[in-house]
Amino acid sequence: MTGPAGHLIEISGALVRARCLAPVGLNEVVYVGDERLVGEVIALDGDVATMQVYEETAGLSVGAPVEASGGPLTVTLGPGLLGGAFDGIQRPLDRLAISQGDFLGRGQHLAPLSADRLWEFRPTAAAGAMVNAGDELGIVRETDALDHRVLVPPGVSGRLADIAAPGAYRIGDRVGAIGNGAGSVDVGLAQRWRVRVPRPFRQRLRATAPMLTGQRVLDTFFPLSCGSAAGMPGGFGTGKTVMQHQLCRWARADVIVFVGCGERGNELTEMLWKLPGLVDPRTGRPLAERTILVANTSNMPVPAREASIYTGATIAEYYRDMGYHVLLLADSTSRWAEALREISGRLGEIPAEEGYPSYLSSRLAAFYERAGHVVTLGGREGSLTIISAISPAGGDVTEPVTRHTQRFTGCFWTLDKRLAEARVFPAVSVEDSYSAAFADLESWWHDEVSPDWAPRRREALKVIEEAGRVRHAARLVGEDSLPDRQRLVLRVAELFEEGFLRQSAHDAKDASCSPARQVKLLSLLLDFYHRGLEALDRGVPVPALIALPVAAALARAKSTYGDDEIAGLDALAARVARECAGAGKAETGGAAS
Amino acid sequence: MTAIAGVEYTGLTALRGPLAFIDAVPGLAFHDQVELTVADGTTRAGRVLGVSDRAAVIEIFGATDGLTLGSTRLRFLGSPLRLGVGRELLGRTFDGMGRPRDGLPPPLVVEERPIEGAVINPCRREYPREFLETGVSAIDLLTSVVLGQKLPIFTEAGLPHDALAMQIVRQARAPGVEGFALVFAALGLPRPVALRYEEMFRGSGALGRMVAFINVADDSAAERLITPRCALTAAEYLAFDCGMHVLVILHDITNYGESLREVSSARGEVPSRKGYPGYLYSDLASIFERAGRIKGRPGSLTMMPIVTMPSGDVTHPIPDLTGYVTEGQIILDRALDRRGVYPPIAVLPSLSRLMSDGIGAGRTREDHEDVARQLYAACARVERARSLAAIIGGDELSEDERRYLRFGDVFEAAFLKQDASEARSIEDTLSRAWRLFADVPPADLTRLPSELIERYLPRGGAASPSRAMEVAR
Ligand SMILES: Nc1ncnc2c1ncn2[C@@H]1O[C@H](COP(=O)(O)OP(=O)(O)OP(=O)(O)O)[C@@H](O)[C@H]1O
Ligand SMILES: [Mg+2]
């Protein structure tokens, strides 16, 4: 580029306009002002370009130069992403801290991935072979938890003219050359991809396996399938972030991309502090080795917040294309929608509802469409699952972001303020949550875990629902006037809540729960219920049943017997049978009168 | 700095609320500081809110009545708004823009800093983990504050939030902390309230280690938008440059939000909820996120903003969005206040999110977290029993429920309630909680591990197991 492409004619917050001397393209990256702030062209009108600036704009003046970069905003994809922390447009926060100090400065252009670091490359394709997009050229061991497959980029195919020998390479080095009629394309360890464009794949597959979270209320009652999307609305303090952190830790995904989108700085600091010390239960390696943080906190520039979920999704798709199961956690998409609203407002667009632009719903739809269980271009099976927190204004779930998200996700985990206030965690409301994935996943649970899962789950939901009705009646007439059966339902529902639904993030044995243990716990509780009903028929009073020592043991079973102590639960089952059968005889009957 | 610095201009084209419009001024930069001189010789400060090749919009801090289009002169200072910082700020009182308000000459400053501050790189933040003892039982035990946290007080008009804020200022201590520096910003407070604060500061002897920025109710709305930023610029200097532990009290964020709405609507911006601008959340975050700690720097910036919930409505945009940014909230309750309970802290909806990593063995005491959880559980039962009693009457309640009703009364009288001048140590607070547990059915003490029960539960008072069986239903 020789000379500036244009000069500023207007500055209004994060939005600036320039009159252009040379043509610039839509979505082209520009450098604004003498400090060369990063911006992106978002509208063109005659020779006037409107740009959003990804950095603080104070101090910019009319007439300041605008320089065109010649290319669109991209994400750099290659080894070194895992364990990294980036801002919304993929500036490396950890390396920025070294070059800039404690506070984020302006106009710093650091490449997302280190250009000097050497990676051990092992070729897996042979020179001379015909290769297509998505085919593997070689492998880099990115972390001890994960092999990074170096793939032929989308849109490239031909004869592999050259492939690098095993050895250490930098991300800028060429590791392969692919020739076709038009010439030769070099393939390096890293590639770039447009930030808002989904990466292609060959074919969508039906969801058949769950994305296990280790959280009982989710896995058992509101399961999510691999490759689908879930929304998690909840007022402030209801536990969205804690849940996302739990999922980051326990979800059975190969790679996790956590997008902190307009939330608190300290929450990201907490992750940066804790992740390296936490061990991935599946690989035995530090969790940081499978995690990528995209962090654009609430006080960072708003346009970069808008870009952050796309940056996260693109990185996630990149690992999906290697054949991995990737989980994208976004906290929170409401803040992303607000960024959209703010930019739209500054553009002077006509708002639809609550100031949001009318394209809010299509943008949300496009984002959730990026979830999927797919056959990649290279013929591997991979998936991208999206779980996004939603922060409805005033906790009102009829507001636009919540409502539209509901249309594009099959799974909704609603967090309830009242439960959170009573410190019942996770505060997932059984009444207000749903999942459409149950039917798809029934056979997985049947084959892989236990045939009991589906029937037990249905039955448990029935008990909980009945308890809701009975509780309502009890509120009107007092509990003592209810028939025994209903009083037992109430007590059993409480036992369900304590012994199954409630799961503390801080419990060493119970923070995560394996599928097998979930089914066992559920069966135990239902077994107690059935035997309790039989005992009622024999004339045993409800208080005597509830006072059985085994009832207290059931409430605590989740924290007494961890995932590798299932035998303890079997022993407990025998105790349930014994004590229920003995109830009403001699001692227990007397004490409860 | 730039060519226009110091040059005078005239020719305002329009005045609307706190905004002034002028034809294009070459070289004028976004957010530049402006000085306006009115016909009578008085001056106002202002800031550039938007510039184009045709016009510029200026936000005026200070009264705009009497301003005329023709005779108002403008001088552009060529730099964004700044505040002079230095240790000499301590002991001083300023107006909402950082000009001395105590009749003394301007303090000696070491540096001028832009009041917008800079964003702390999340990788450079230190996760806050040091317990701050306020001496208030309900806060220390149930919503523990840590150094570097932002924890607002949600209140309603007429509740004793200022007394509580002052009590915290007087009593706050932490291991190795000599006494806090205090930065106070009055945001649109009625004069009598601001005066009361100033008196309290003098009376408590805190004056020497505090800085106050006062913007009262009839000061300009636009000025109110920069008052907290001045206060935070001072606080950041004391915390991160001088290594002090600084407590910042911003009162009242609701007035701040109203001002933001006023300026936004004068600019003709598209409103979102209740007329507030769509960027209210981001704007509040740019204030609250300045709290924290930084790796390798000794000080901390702890923030306790006070938010009056309009008509007591916590879902109103200002408390709602505040709650979405801050790390918890302390909620004051009208009913408790009516019952004469001071501090009237509603335990269940209050929350401190940074608590669990800042308490426990070596920080407060090994039993802290479990005791807090047990107390929450008991309070939730009290709540249920009370609402049931309101519907079906006390007589229909079970023995268990009646017991929790009694527990609730004892809890309020012997734990929650304390004198505004009473500082309780965390040990004292914890042992009060244990004494309360003596009245809880042992079967309900599920949150407490048995080792702790053995060590701390007072003997004799505890209900015997047989009695527990009798009342268990
Ligand atoms: N599963 C859990 N186990 C234990 N405590 C929890 C759990 N979930 C939430 N909490 C408690 O609730 C607090 C608030 O949770 P969290 O920060 O996740 O809320 P949030 O929904 O993300 O709120 P916001 O929208 O304001 O970000 C936590 O600090 C913690 O004390
Ligand atoms: Mg959160």
Side-chain angles (χ1 to χ4, degrees):
Chain A
M1 273 280 139
T2 52
H7 296 278
L8 289 186
I9 55 167
E10 185 180 344
I11 302 108
S12 160
L15 216 68
V16 303
R17 288 198 168 84
R19 178 153 290 127
C20 298
L21 312 163
V24 293
L26 203 56
N27 298 113
E28 182 166 351
V29 170
V30 289
Y31 300 109
V32 180
D34 297 325
E35 284 182 281
R36 302 185 77 239
L37 309 181
V38 181
E40 182 186 5
V41 178
I42 56 172
L44 289 169
D45 183 4
D47 61 349
V48 173
T50 303
M51 296 154 284
Q52 55 184 9
V53 181
Y54 292 113
E55 308 185 59
E56 259 308 309
T57 53
L60 282 181
S61 55
V62 168
V66 173
E67 194 188 310
S69 72
L73 194 64
T74 57
V75 183
T76 304
L77 303 166
L81 288 168
L82 290 175
F86 306 92
D87 80 350
I89 54 168
Q90 214 198 2
R91 275 178 297 206
L93 289 169
D94 38 4
R95 282 187 296 127
L96 278 180
I98 297 168
S99 68
Q100 298 184 327
D102 297 339
F103 297 92
L104 292 171
R106 302 197 298 183
Q108 286 269 338
H109 306 289
L110 271 189
L113 301 178
S114 160
D116 308 323
R117 186 157 167 195
L118 287 167
W119 298 96
E120 208 55 47
F121 173 76
R122 181 164 54 85
T124 52
M130 287 301 295
V131 290
N132 287 310
D135 287 349
E136 182 180 294
L137 295 182
I139 286 176
V140 165
R141 189 122 186 103
E142 186 175 357
T143 67
D144 283 334
L146 191 122
D147 275 341
H148 188 114
R149 301 180 205 285
V150 180
L151 306 180
V152 177
V156 178
S157 63
R159 187 168 302 282
L160 185 59
D162 187 20
I163 178 90
Y169 297 87
R170 294 182 178 79
I171 57 161
D173 293 339
R174 187 182 94 164
V175 293
I178 295 164
N180 55 24
S184 169
V185 179
D186 287 346
V187 179
L189 282 186
Q191 50 177 281
R192 287 168 160 227
W193 191 258
R194 298 250 328 245
V195 74
R196 288 186 185 78
V197 179
R199 287 174 62 87
F201 49 83
R202 196 181 288 168
Q203 179 196 346
R204 265 183 205 278
L205 294 174
R206 244 176 56 106
T208 46
M211 169 54 72
L212 291 173
T213 64
Q215 310 298 304
R216 281 186 293 272
V217 61
L218 305 185
D219 288 347
T220 291
F221 290 126
F222 309 109
L224 178 65
S225 52
C226 245
S228 61
M232 181 165 51
F236 64 78
T238 50
K240 299 181 293 294
T241 304
V242 172
M243 178 68 95
Q244 297 254 19
H245 286 194
Q246 285 296 95
L247 297 175
C248 196
R249 183 160 180 200
W250 301 111
R252 291 224 192 142
D254 300 313
V255 173
I256 291 190
V257 181
F258 184 94
V259 184
C261 168
E263 291 288 314
R264 302 170 183 84
N266 276 333
E267 289 173 350
L268 291 156
T269 308
E270 183 185 0
M271 291 193 95
L272 289 166
W273 166 50
K274 288 184 177 166
L275 280 183
L278 293 174
V279 169
D280 183 347
R282 300 171 323 136
T283 59
R285 301 293 312 165
L287 273 179
E289 291 187 2
R290 69 155 182 181
T291 313
I292 298 159
L293 291 181
V294 177
N296 213 90
T297 56
S298 54
N299 55 341
M300 284 156 79
V302 165
R305 188 198 300 170
E306 191 269 337
S308 66
I309 66 168
Y310 298 110
T311 300
T314 305
I315 293 173
E317 285 171 348
Y318 176 64
Y319 284 94
R320 173 204 67 191
D321 291 345
M322 295 178 207
Y324 291 116
H325 296 288
V326 185
L327 175 60
L328 176 76
L329 299 166
D331 187 10
S332 108
T333 42
S334 298
R335 304 301 166 221
W336 165 82
E338 282 173 11
L340 209 63
R341 172 168 74 183
E342 191 170 332
I343 296 160
S344 158
R346 292 210 191 270
L347 280 171
E349 292 170 341
I350 295 168
E353 296 166 274
E354 298 196 9
Y356 288 106
S358 52
Y359 48 79
L360 171 68
S361 87
S362 55
R363 292 281 168 92
L364 279 169
F367 172 63
Y368 289 110
E369 273 303 297
R370 294 179 79 159
H373 177 207
V374 305
V375 178
T376 68
L377 293 182
R380 284 170 220 89
E381 220 180 277
S383 70
L384 169 54
T385 309
I386 298 178
I387 299 175
S388 68
I390 304 167
S391 324
D396 167 15
V397 294
T398 64
E399 59 87 42
V401 181
T402 317
R403 233 179 37 231
H404 290 308
T405 306
Q406 214 156 7
R407 291 169 46 211
F408 310 124
T409 55
C411 198
F412 229 55
W413 303 329
T414 306
L415 302 186
D416 184 338
K417 188 123 201 157
R418 275 173 327 207
L419 290 177
E421 281 186 0
R423 298 326 192 251
V424 175
F425 292 117
V428 176
S429 153
V430 175
E431 297 88 69
D432 298 332
S433 301
Y434 60 80
S435 162
F438 171 68
D440 290 340
L441 299 177
E442 206 172 334
S443 60
W444 183 91
W445 279 84
H446 184 278
D447 300 344
E448 305 285 328
V449 187
S450 155
D452 289 344
W453 181 71
R456 291 297 201 177
R457 173 186 180 275
R458 275 198 202 93
E459 215 181 322
L461 278 173
K462 241 170 62 193
V463 174
I464 293 171
E465 193 199 341
E466 186 179 352
R469 276 198 313 265
V470 174
R471 206 167 286 137
H472 189 70
R475 220 165 277 150
L476 299 175
V477 299
E479 206 184 301
D480 290 341
S481 352
L482 296 176
D484 273 358
R485 209 195 112 82
Q486 297 195 344
R487 289 169 62 198
L488 183 67
V489 165
L490 278 185
R491 297 286 86 83
V492 168
E494 273 169 19
L495 210 53
F496 260 61
E497 192 186 276
E498 178 67 35
F500 193 85
L501 296 176
R502 198 175 289 184
Q503 192 174 355
S504 168
H506 308 298
D507 190 320
K509 284 192 178 175
D510 197 41
S512 170
C513 189
S514 69
R517 193 159 67 96
Q518 296 190 23
V519 177
K520 270 268 151 46
L521 281 169
L522 199 60
S523 303
L524 266 177
L525 291 163
L526 284 165
D527 198 31
F528 177 76
Y529 175 53
H530 292 307
R531 291 178 192 275
L533 285 176
E534 284 167 23
L536 288 186
D537 290 342
R538 291 200 310 272
V540 180
V542 175
L545 277 170
I546 293 305
L548 288 175
V550 76
L554 285 174
R556 286 182 191 251
K558 59 178 187 187
S559 336
T560 316
Y561 308 104
D563 282 351
D564 46 7
E565 297 166 311
I566 296 223
L569 293 176
D570 291 329
L572 200 56
R575 236 181 101 188
V576 170
R578 203 168 54 239
E579 288 194 25
C580 286
K585 293 181 190 138
E587 352 78 281
T588 31
S593 61
Chain B
M1 187 169 147
T2 57
I4 59 157
V7 184
E8 261 191 13
Y9 290 82
T10 50
L12 290 183
T13 54
L15 279 160
R16 195 162 67 220
L19 302 182
F21 298 78
I22 184 170
D23 284 341
V25 176
L28 189 56
F30 179 62
H31 269 187
D32 264 5
Q33 198 175 344
V34 188
E35 190 181 88
L36 299 95
T37 309
V38 189
D40 64 6
T42 57
T43 60
R44 311 275 187 282
R47 168 168 69 172
V48 177
L49 268 194
V51 284
S52 75
D53 54 351
R54 273 162 291 131
V57 191
I58 295 156
E59 170 183 38
I60 302 171
F61 311 122
T64 50
D65 42 299
L67 257 68
T68 56
L69 296 180
S71 61
T72 305
R73 285 169 292 143
L74 294 92
R75 218 160 54 84
F76 299 103
L77 305 184
S79 68
L81 285 171
R82 287 164 192 269
L83 180 82
V85 293
R87 277 176 186 272
E88 296 215 352
L89 294 183
L90 286 170
R92 301 295 306 272
T93 304
F94 301 94
D95 71 3
M97 292 198 59
R99 291 172 299 216
R101 192 176 183 269
D102 47 12
L104 298 173
L108 204 66
V109 300
V110 296
E111 199 186 326
E112 300 254 322
R113 295 222 170 136
I115 60 159
E116 294 293 337
V119 175
I120 305 175
N121 184 327
C123 291
R124 293 300 304 162
R125 278 183 187 268
E126 179 80 48
Y127 191 65
R129 298 193 64 190
E130 262 179 272
F131 177 66
L132 182 159
E133 189 179 284
T134 65
V136 178
S137 286
I139 297 179
D140 288 350
L141 180 65
L142 297 168
T143 52
S144 319
V145 188
V146 293
L147 295 176
Q149 183 171 14
K150 41 190 180 290
L151 189 65
I153 297 175
F154 283 10
T155 181
E156 293 179 47
L159 295 183
H161 37 264
D162 39 2
L164 181 60
M166 282 312 305
Q167 184 173 10
I168 293 170
V169 168
R170 279 193 312 272
Q171 299 179 171
R173 55 188 197 113
V177 177
E178 277 304 312
F180 283 80
L182 172 70
V183 173
F184 174 78
L187 305 173
L189 291 186
R191 274 172 204 279
V193 179
L195 213 65
R196 198 160 70 234
Y197 265 111
E198 288 185 84
E199 270 162 24
M200 281 198 280
F201 293 143
R202 264 196 298 279
S204 68
L207 212 56
R209 49 187 175 90
M210 74 170 290
V211 193
F213 294 84
I214 310 286
N215 165 286
V216 288
D218 59 353
D219 283 337
S220 102
E223 177 185 298
R224 202 160 296 141
L225 302 185
I226 65 170
T227 306
R229 297 182 164 86
C230 289
L232 286 163
T233 305
E236 280 171 349
Y237 174 79
L238 297 173
F240 302 134
D241 290 63
C242 305
M244 299 182 193
H245 294 282
V246 185
L247 183 61
V248 180
I249 292 183
L250 308 171
H251 189 186
D252 183 321
I253 291 297
T254 303
N255 298 337
Y256 173 86
E258 306 259 326
S259 300
L260 199 67
R261 174 167 68 177
E262 190 177 328
V263 173
S264 165
S265 82
R267 294 181 70 182
E269 291 172 341
V270 177
S272 60
R273 284 216 160 188
K274 297 211 161 139
Y276 290 94
Y279 50 79
L280 178 58
Y281 172 83
S282 301
D283 189 277
L284 289 174
S286 74
I287 294 176
F288 297 142
E289 278 290 324
R290 290 171 81 167
R293 306 199 70 165
I294 297 179
K295 285 196 178 114
R297 302 199 191 206
S300 66
L301 199 165
T302 309
M303 214 186 287
M304 294 192 93
I306 295 174
V307 184
T308 304
M309 300 179 281
S311 349
D313 177 11
V314 71
T315 68
H316 180 281
I318 294 170
D320 185 49
L321 294 178
T322 299
Y324 273 125
V325 186
T326 53
E327 286 141 352
Q329 65 281 336
I330 294 170
I331 297 196
L332 303 190
D333 177 63
R334 173 93 62 202
L336 280 170
D337 184 57
R338 287 220 183 92
R339 289 205 289 276
V341 179
Y342 172 89
I345 296 175
V347 166
L348 288 177
S350 296
L351 166 76
S352 164
R353 305 181 190 220
L354 300 186
M355 173 167 166
S356 57
D357 287 310
I359 59 171
R363 298 183 182 275
T364 52
R365 211 169 76 178
E366 50 167 356
D367 54 332
H368 188 154
E369 180 142 32
D370 293 316
V371 168
R373 262 192 272 169
Q374 185 64 60
L375 206 49
Y376 275 128
C379 288
R381 298 287 298 266
V382 171
E383 199 76 348
R384 248 194 292 165
R386 280 184 180 164
S387 66
L388 214 55
I391 302 170
I392 60 173
D395 297 342
E396 296 293 318
L397 294 185
S398 67
E399 173 59 28
D400 221 19
E401 285 153 354
R402 277 200 290 271
R403 199 161 169 173
Y404 274 107
L405 284 186
R406 286 196 299 276
F407 177 92
D409 296 339
V410 179
F411 170 77
E412 281 173 17
F415 182 88
L416 197 53
K417 201 168 173 173
Q418 79 184 72
D419 203 80
S421 60
E422 181 188 1
R424 291 183 191 155
S425 68
I426 183 68
E427 283 76 23
D428 180 13
T429 292
L430 280 165
S431 51
R432 280 167 191 270
W434 279 102
R435 284 203 291 279
L436 293 174
F437 293 153
D439 279 335
V440 171
D444 284 357
L445 293 178
T446 52
R447 306 285 189 285
L448 295 167
S450 41
E451 314 90 72
L452 291 182
I453 294 186
E454 250 158 60
R455 195 163 319 150
Y456 294 107
L457 192 69
R459 312 261 156 209
S464 67
S466 63
R467 175 120 184 278
M469 285 289 245
E470 191 187 314
V471 297
R473 308 168 17 94

